[in-house]
Each structure stands twice: as C-alpha cells, then as structure tokens.
Amino acid sequence: DRYWRGPVFSFTDGKTWMQTKNKSFKQHLDKVRFIGKPYQYQLLMEPQTKKWVFALDMPAVFEWPLYENGNHQLLTFEQPGKRAEYVVTSYAQYNTGYITKAELSDNLQLPKRNEGRIDRLVRQLGGFDTPAETFINNVFAHFRNNEFYYTLMPPLMDEKPIETFLFDARAGFCGHYAAAFVYIMRVAEIPARIVSGYQGGVFNETGGFIEVRQANAHAWAEVWIADKGWVRYDPTSAIAPERIE
C-alpha cells in the first residue's frame, strides 16, 4: 500500500504518454469516499523543479499551499525549489466514484491503429466478452505464465513499442508493463491510465521516518471499475521473482 502518487498520464501517441490535453480535467473530481484507517504524516519534500507533491495514495486532508487536480495528484502553490514540509492525511482504501464523459474519453483514447496481434491477444484473454476484473486477472496471469522479465536494461523498442514489448522482447521495467497493461485495457474498451510516483521506501529506525529515494521511482496503472471508481493495479507485480534481472 505504500504508493506515493504523482503525475497521471492519459494521452498516448503509441510511443510516449502525456498528461491529459483536456483543460477542464480539474473539474472532474467526484467526492472520494474514504474507507478504513486514516494515516496522518509529515511529508518532507526535498527541492525539485516541479510543483508535484508525492502524497501517500490517496490523499484526503491537506492545507494550503497544497491543492489537488482532477487526477487526485497533489501540487503546491509555492515555489518547489526549496525544502518544504506538509501535513497530510491519506487512506489506503477509497472509492473515487463516477467517471465523467471527458474522463471516459481521455482514458479510452488510442492512436489510429490496425487490428493485429494486440487485438488477437485481447480477444484470447476474454477482453471483449468477460467482466473487467476477470479480464484483468487474465492479463496478470499472461504476464506471470509467459516468461516476461523485469529488467532495467531492456532492448530498444523504437517502432511499435507496445507490440514489440508484448510479443518479441517480453522484457522491460515498470513503465513498459504499465503502458502495455493500460493499452490493452483500452483496446478492450476499459478506461485505464498510467500513474507515476514512488513505491515503497526504507524505514529509518534512528530517525523514525520513511525515506523515499529516486531508486523507488515507479509506474503503475489505474482502471475504472463500476461501483469502485479508479482502482490501482500494478502489472509489474505479476512478474515472478526469479525473472527479475
């Protein structure tokens, strides 16, 4: 559950991913229903160039100078080039509620393409005629059972990177898995998006704090599920430990 939420990426040209181009997305927030135990903590951010504030997913209570955009990412009104400290309360369990028409369009968007190996794979895994959660389980099983590897030194995939990753290279890091997972969700007409940030952290027993470093940088996915809202799925977790290089 130790996911530190940062920028969310919805738009893709098939090779790269960017934040939504829809300027009205700041208004897309439904009232999140938080569930279970709250976690209040002090967040110490080191100086950086962006106004991104990486809060434990999902932030619920925070004060100025922090604000939240339509993708539930925290940002600051202050200049980010100095060390800053914030008090935030987050919940590990939550329901983000409905999806708007603009969000639906943003998170089903795909570049112009021809049906091919990806469509056949989606059909093989039940993407067009099974419930979303069943299809997701089938995709995780596909990653787990078909010799996919995690590596920080994947081969170059300049042309058709999603297709190359899924069928030829079958090796990559978190960004490859998150992008491929979101892409095939969208082919199956299931709203999905990439979330970036950090995962984990090391507890410092002397200072009594969790240290999150650049080595903890991570990317995962969110899928919109009816009656549950945006639900986190981390396809990298499907890789068997013996296949991590």
Side-chain angles (χ1 to χ4, degrees):
D1 289 332
R2 200 179 292 164
Y3 285 79
W4 306 92
R5 189 182 190 88
V8 177
F9 302 99
S10 295
F11 180 83
T12 182
D13 60 4
K15 293 184 178 181
T16 59
W17 292 78
M18 291 163 276
Q19 297 186 65
T20 178
K21 292 188 173 184
N22 190 328
K23 295 181 180 179
S24 66
F25 83 104
K26 293 181 180 179
Q27 303 171 10
H28 293 179
L29 285 175
D30 190 9
K31 187 175 181 180
V32 179
R33 181 164 62 91
F34 295 102
I35 305 165
K37 179 182 177 182
Y39 295 90
Q40 186 184 72
Y41 52 97
Q42 289 180 298
L43 182 65
L44 180 64
M45 293 286 300
E46 294 291 348
Q48 57 175 345
T49 59
K50 304 291 186 180
K51 293 191 174 185
W52 304 335
V53 176
F54 296 87
L56 190 66
D57 198 13
M58 177 69 72
V61 181
F62 48 88
E63 296 181 349
W64 194 93
L66 300 183
Y67 66 99
E68 184 180 33
N69 69 17
N71 289 326
H72 305 289
Q73 176 192 359
L74 284 191
L75 300 101
T76 178
F77 283 111
E78 293 186 330
Q79 293 301 315
K82 61 180 181 179
R83 181 178 291 182
E85 189 170 327
Y86 311 106
V87 176
V88 182
T89 299
S90 296
Y91 287 76
Q93 295 177 285
Y94 49 86
N95 185 326
T96 61
Y98 69 81
I99 188 171
T100 67
K101 289 182 179 179
E103 284 180 302
L104 183 64
S105 175
D106 281 351
N107 295 289
L108 287 176
Q109 177 269 331
L110 284 173
K112 185 177 180 181
R113 61 190 180 83
N114 296 317
E115 288 195 16
R117 290 192 291 178
I118 295 178
D119 293 75
R120 290 194 292 271
L121 175 64
V122 170
R123 194 169 286 108
Q124 173 190 330
L125 298 177
F128 298 111
D129 50 18
T130 60
E133 290 172 292
T134 301
F135 177 55
I136 291 168
N137 289 336
N138 292 344
V139 173
F140 270 62
H142 179 74
F143 285 147
R144 187 167 54 250
N145 299 330
N146 285 277
E147 297 295 314
F148 280 85
Y149 288 81
Y150 179 92
T151 176
L152 294 177
M153 299 181 66
L156 290 176
M157 294 176 258
D158 291 337
E159 295 298 323
K160 298 182 179 180
I162 300 292
E163 185 172 334
T164 302
F165 168 75
L166 285 171
F167 300 102
D168 303 318
R170 293 193 177 188
F173 46 82
C174 57
H176 295 91
Y177 285 96
F181 178 84
V182 168
Y183 195 96
I184 60 180
M185 287 295 121
R186 293 184 178 188
V187 170
E189 299 182 355
I190 300 170
R193 60 194 188 185
I194 295 174
V195 184
S196 64
Y198 299 89
Q199 201 276 324
V202 177
F203 184 71
N204 184 306
E205 293 185 0
T206 302
F209 60 86
I210 296 170
E211 186 174 31
V212 182
R213 292 176 167 268
Q214 286 299 101
N216 299 110
H218 194 48
W220 57 95
E222 284 184 330
V223 179
W224 190 85
I225 306 290
D227 299 322
K228 294 184 179 180
W230 288 106
V231 179
R232 179 174 63 237
Y233 289 94
D234 190 346
T236 308
S237 68
I239 307 308
E242 63 270 19
R243 297 204 299 271
I244 296 176
E245 297 180 354

